Amino acid sequence: EATITATTICYDRNWNRIGVTIAGSAIGNYGSSLKYLFYPIDIALDNFSNIYISDSGNNRIVKWSQNSLEGQLIIGNINGAAGNLPNQLNYPTGIYLDKINQNLYVVDSGNYRIQKFSLNTTEIPPFNGITILDQNSVFNAINSSGSSFSTVYYDNMNNNLYVTDTGNGQILLFKNDSTIRVVAGGKEGNTKLYYPFGFYVDRNLTIYIADRGNDRIVKWLKNANEGIVIAGDNGKGSNPDQLFAPTDVYVDETDDDTIYIADSNNNRIQQWLSNATDGRTIAGNEHGTAVWYSTGFRWPYKIKFDQQYSLYVTDYQNHRIQKFNLIQNGYGCH
């Protein structure tokens, strides 16, 4: 496990700082052809290392197989046009793959709805989805108007869905009995959320939230009335103890709850050890510089890890998905 002593910090994993483009254009080109992406936001990995991508600017979900030169249309229009039919999307943002039931949950943000698509289907793509949550259902349940959704997580153990209601600064829990309640944010006080985006739910149903507008990561225990700031909250900036508009957080529950942060406006991925007062950059530029070449990003949005602990990053303004291979899986002290 990663450990902290009074004089030494020990990290147990390190990644190659040169990224490999596994979807989209390595030099940042974009378009509506299936060999390009246009403002990708989120990804999901299946058990065969296929990648599902919310190709947001093209209003579609595409699937890229390993070593493929182009994607396969799964949901949306082939020409990238927006729509609101069951097999169409309007600026999809967050996605989540339920590997057990082979369902793909998609935040269809421009249509203010959450769509569920079965991948176990004989349909020819684009697949048809069903709406399981929308603005009206949230308003009717909790009288919360103007909901705008951004990311989604499905809890297989309890058959519950978590959704970021970014516009209202809250995380919603959509239970399997169709009830809806606020489980984080939506409160006044020091830990009120401001334009939250990505989040992570651990085995204890603690929610870790990228509180984008407040430049920090907040931990919200189950049934708590307020959150606990665990990273950032030192003003906007690129110092090691600062974040700038973070959009995603991942928690390594096997490594003392070390967290990984898509520090988007700083164009870097930060690793933040449990109870640490600052983080270190594991991908991108420590000083926040935006670049197109393979060692950096222009607005990294979401992060994922595969079974080999390779790091995947949606490089939003470079219109590509980058992979950073693990090169050390043992102690390295500084």
Side-chain angles (χ1 to χ4, degrees):
E1 293 183 345
T3 59
I4 305 174
T5 68
T7 58
T8 306
I9 297 178
C10 297
Y11 301 101
D12 64 353
R13 292 189 177 101
N14 285 289
W15 289 262
N16 193 328
R17 296 293 290 269
I18 300 174
V20 177
T21 301
I22 56 170
S25 165
I27 60 174
N29 292 333
Y30 62 88
S32 59
S33 162
L34 286 172
K35 69 179 181 178
Y36 292 122
L37 301 172
F38 187 29
Y39 293 126
I41 286 185
D42 203 359
I43 58 173
L45 303 172
D46 69 13
N47 292 327
F48 304 100
S49 296
N50 299 309
I51 305 168
Y52 294 82
I53 306 168
S54 59
D55 188 12
S56 302
N58 280 320
N59 304 295
R60 64 192 184 193
I61 305 298
V62 289
K63 174 184 176 182
W64 283 64
S65 302
Q66 282 287 306
N67 303 315
S68 177
L69 297 179
E70 68 176 29
Q72 173 191 355
L73 179 70
I74 299 297
I75 307 155
N77 289 318
I78 191 70
N79 63 1
N84 60 7
L85 297 177
N87 64 356
Q88 294 177 327
L89 301 167
N90 184 355
Y91 203 76
T93 53
I95 59 176
Y96 186 83
L97 176 61
D98 170 13
K99 297 179 184 178
I100 295 176
N101 299 303
Q102 284 297 292
N103 292 320
L104 187 68
Y105 295 88
V106 178
V107 179
D108 188 12
S109 68
N111 287 319
Y112 301 97
R113 64 186 184 181
I114 309 296
Q115 297 288 93
K116 176 182 175 181
F117 298 86
S118 173
L119 301 180
N120 281 333
T121 178
T122 57
E123 280 187 291
I124 298 174
F127 299 147
N128 285 284
I130 58 171
T131 301
I132 58 174
L133 192 69
D134 60 19
Q135 267 190 342
N136 289 333
S137 55
V138 173
F139 179 77
N140 293 333
I142 60 174
N143 197 29
S144 187
S145 61
S147 294
S148 58
F149 310 124
S150 57
T151 48
V152 62
Y153 166 76
Y154 177 70
D155 172 13
N156 250 308
M157 294 292 293
N158 300 293
N159 191 26
N160 292 329
L161 198 72
Y162 292 77
V163 178
T164 312
D165 180 359
T166 295
N168 288 313
Q170 57 195 16
I171 308 296
L172 303 176
L173 173 62
F174 181 48
K175 294 177 69 75
N176 56 14
D177 61 2
S178 297
T179 60
I180 301 170
R181 66 185 179 94
V182 177
V183 289
K187 311 287 185 184
E188 298 297 332
N190 183 51
T191 53
K192 181 177 174 64
L193 304 175
Y194 185 46
Y195 289 111
F197 199 81
F199 63 94
Y200 180 94
V201 181
D202 73 9
R203 59 183 175 272
N204 298 315
L205 302 184
T206 297
I207 308 171
Y208 296 75
I209 305 159
D211 190 9
R212 179 174 48 176
N214 284 319
D215 307 298
R216 64 190 182 184
I217 305 299
V218 177
K219 179 171 75 172
W220 212 286
L221 301 175
K222 183 181 179 181
N223 298 323
N225 291 320
E226 63 178 10
I228 303 164
V229 177
I230 58 170
D233 208 26
N234 294 307
K236 300 182 193 299
S238 59
N239 291 330
D241 65 343
Q242 293 178 309
L243 300 170
F244 190 1
T247 51
D248 200 19
V249 58
Y250 174 87
V251 182
D252 186 351
E253 298 182 63
T254 70
D255 186 24
D256 196 30
D257 291 343
T258 295
I259 64 173
Y260 296 84
I261 304 164
D263 190 12
S264 293
N265 222 23
N266 278 325
N267 302 292
R268 65 189 186 183
I269 307 302
Q270 297 293 92
Q271 181 193 54
W272 210 290
L273 302 183
S274 182
N275 300 316
T277 57
D278 57 21
R280 67 150 182 163
T281 301
I282 62 168
N285 189 290
E286 287 89 345
H287 307 294
T289 307
V291 298
W292 65 265
Y293 41 82
S294 59
T295 55
F297 310 107
R298 290 195 299 166
W299 200 270
Y301 235 111
K302 297 278 285 178
I303 52 179
K304 293 287 190 300
F305 290 93
D306 65 16
Q307 294 175 339
Q308 289 73 45
Y309 231 78
S310 299
L311 169 67
Y312 295 74
V313 182
T314 53
D315 192 3
Y316 179 72
Q317 290 185 346
N318 280 325
H319 313 288
R320 64 191 182 187
I321 309 301
Q322 297 291 89
K323 178 182 179 182
F324 298 83
N325 291 309
L326 185 72
I327 57 174
Q328 178 186 336
N329 199 8
Y331 285 113
C333 296
H334 307 274

